[in-house]
Amino acid sequence: MMVYTLRQEQIIGREIKEVFSFFERPENLCKITPPKMKFDILTPQPLEMRTGAVFDYVVNIMGVNQHWRTLIERYNPPHSFIDIQLNGPYRLWHHTHEFEEHAEGTLIRDTIRYVLPFGFIGRIVHPLIVRPQLERIFSFRRKAIDIIFPAETMIQNSANDSISPLHG
């Protein structure tokens, strides 16, 4: 089984509580997801972020609507939360969201560990389709965050993206 890791960091010139408050609201995911993915929350609102919360979404991946069910595995405001996929397109999706006070505002750090389905075929399509698609999604996300937290308050936007295979 091949476990891949995607990491991204971005510094926002705002206080940690304000930044965390935006990210802890699942309804804001549609604001930082590319429109062509047609992200839609199925879970009835109001949504409450907490350890053990489960959220259902529909997201369009490569022209196919996918049901995605997420469990909030850990919730530690305003410093972190972890969501894991219970049902969706990946064999494993483990997304750690970390928020750290920084001299220039708040450092947002995303670490996603994921495993593709289909064994050998999944390993072949990863560099050709999946990795570039995830890079485009997170590039859109960075740009959307820059708009949500306007440039005059932005100090730095540092994207240290890397995807590296881990054998597990």
Side-chain angles (χ1 to χ4, degrees), residues 45-65:
Q45 295 195 28
L47 303 174
E48 178 190 353
M49 178 68 91
R50 59 178 170 71
T51 299
V54 175
F55 303 109
D56 288 290
Y57 313 97
V58 172
V59 63
N60 189 287
I61 300 174
M62 296 179 3
V64 177
N65 285 338

Side-chain angles (χ1 to χ4, degrees), residues 17-124:
K17 287 182 182 180
E18 179 185 358
V19 175
F20 188 86
S21 176
F22 175 83
F23 283 91
E24 74 175 335
R25 295 188 355 240
E27 56 272 20
N28 284 334
L29 275 172
C30 65
K31 297 176 183 175
I32 60 174
T33 301
K36 76 177 193 172
M37 293 185 72
K38 302 176 185 173
F39 181 88
D40 188 29
I41 299 173
L42 301 176
T43 304
Q45 295 195 28
L47 303 174
E48 178 190 353
M49 178 68 91
R50 59 178 170 71
T51 299
V54 175
F55 303 109
D56 288 290
Y57 313 97
V58 172
V59 63
N60 189 287
I61 300 174
M62 296 179 3
V64 177
N65 285 338
Q66 298 276 325
H67 175 248
W68 194 313
R69 175 170 281 175
T70 297
L71 167 71
I72 304 303
E73 183 179 65
R74 186 181 72 186
Y75 178 62
N76 180 28
H79 303 288
S80 66
F81 63 93
I82 297 173
D83 65 81
I84 60 171
Q85 174 196 278
L86 297 177
N87 181 40
Y90 294 87
R91 284 190 59 206
L92 167 76
W93 181 271
H94 184 277
H95 186 170
T96 301
H97 307 255
E98 296 174 288
F99 304 85
E100 188 177 305
E101 290 181 6
H102 188 277
E104 298 169 348
T106 300
L107 171 66
I108 303 168
R109 181 180 301 114
D110 290 287
T111 305
I112 300 126
R113 292 179 35 250
Y114 62 99
V115 174
L116 300 177
F118 310 120
F120 177 72
I121 295 170
R123 287 192 299 275
I124 291 172

